[in-house]
Amino acid sequence: NLHIILPIGISFYTFQTMSYTIDIYRGKLKPSNSFLKFATFVAFFPQLVAGPIVRAIDFLPQLERGVVIRLDGLNQGSQILVRGLLKKVVVADNLSIVVDQVYSAPHLFASSTVWIAVLAYSIQILCDFSGYTDIALGSARLINIRLPLNFNSPYRALDIQDFWRRWHMTLSRFLRDYLYIPLGGNKNGALRTHRNLFLTFL
């Protein structure tokens, strides 16, 4: 067995560093003249572990203007932070106790209980992930840094395409802008579109 130690949050700062490099290559962004600001962008602590994925073009200008603690930022940030903690600690963590019991031995429970556990898990995973995102957004807002919205009521989606646009929105945009569209998107017929979708999801 290989025991490989990986840095925490490796996927997020990999995505962010890729977007920084690609945007510079495309001429959309000028290289930062400060290694400290670049390092802050890559390893910004509130969103390092579970996102959202932040683009340099959105983040670095905020550092250029300077981090200023403001009353409205403290007010908004604390509200978002508390909302995230309620989702994560009160809802998701308590639902996980029930869900884990049923999922570990579903044959011991009635089918109705298993269905309830499946529904509870769908709520748990949303509150867990979006709750952490809210904690990140709120923490950043406390110091007047705005991070992009990552969830937009995904269970109110009208179809799977709408759901994909609402769930982990920053990842969807990253895959669209840096992979799907450069592959050709939906420009060259149905066969190419399906190929590009397949490669993007792969």
Side-chain angles (χ1 to χ4, degrees), residues 17-28 174 177-178:
T17 309
M18 284 174 62
S19 73
Y20 173 83
T21 307
I22 294 167
D23 283 350
I24 289 173
Y25 175 77
R26 291 175 175 173
K28 293 183 177 180
F174 181 93
D177 295 344
Y178 297 107

Side-chain angles (χ1 to χ4, degrees), residues 11-71:
S11 60
F12 289 95
Y13 58 75
T14 300
F15 282 141
Q16 290 180 189
T17 309
M18 284 174 62
S19 73
Y20 173 83
T21 307
I22 294 167
D23 283 350
I24 289 173
Y25 175 77
R26 291 175 175 173
K28 293 183 177 180
L29 181 70
K30 291 183 178 179
S32 175
N33 57 10
S34 167
F35 178 75
L36 180 60
K37 288 175 182 174
F38 171 75
T40 303
F41 156 67
V42 172
F44 188 57
F45 72 93
Q47 48 77 232
L48 181 63
V49 177
I53 298 167
V54 182
R55 296 187 184 186
I57 203 164
D58 299 320
F59 189 89
L60 288 173
Q62 297 187 70
L63 293 183
E64 293 295 336
R65 68 157 193 254
V67 176
V68 180
I69 308 288
R70 294 173 48 180
L71 189 59

Side-chain angles (χ1 to χ4, degrees), residues 33-185:
N33 57 10
S34 167
F35 178 75
L36 180 60
K37 288 175 182 174
F38 171 75
T40 303
F41 156 67
V42 172
F44 188 57
F45 72 93
Q47 48 77 232
L48 181 63
V49 177
I53 298 167
V54 182
R55 296 187 184 186
I57 203 164
D58 299 320
F59 189 89
L60 288 173
Q62 297 187 70
L63 293 183
E64 293 295 336
R65 68 157 193 254
V67 176
V68 180
I69 308 288
R70 294 173 48 180
L71 189 59
D72 61 332
L74 291 172
N75 184 34
Q76 291 173 12
S78 59
Q79 289 181 39
I80 299 168
L81 184 60
V82 168
R83 182 179 68 204
L85 285 169
L86 288 172
K87 284 184 191 175
K88 176 74 179 75
V89 177
V90 176
V91 179
D93 288 356
N94 282 299
L95 280 177
S96 71
I97 298 168
V98 177
V99 170
D100 289 350
Q101 285 181 348
V102 178
Y103 273 45
S104 63
H107 59 282
L108 298 178
F109 298 90
S111 59
S112 58
T113 306
V114 174
W115 275 111
I116 290 169
V118 169
L119 292 172
Y121 179 67
S122 70
I123 297 168
Q124 176 200 338
I125 194 170
L126 173 63
C127 289
D128 199 5
F129 205 175
S130 71
Y132 181 89
T133 299
D134 285 347
I135 293 169
L137 266 62
S139 300
R141 192 74 183 92
L142 291 174
I143 56 173
N144 207 32
I145 297 287
R146 292 180 183 271
L147 300 180
L149 189 66
N150 211 22
F151 289 86
N152 183 21
S153 304
Y155 292 154
R156 294 172 61 188
L158 301 175
D159 53 40
I160 192 66
Q161 192 174 20
D162 189 26
F163 178 84
W164 182 244
R165 280 194 292 261
R166 293 167 174 262
W167 181 282
H168 205 341
M169 294 154 60
T170 57
L171 177 61
S172 302
R173 286 194 291 267
F174 181 93
L175 294 174
R176 180 195 67 198
D177 295 344
Y178 297 107
L179 192 56
Y180 178 67
I181 290 174
L183 284 169

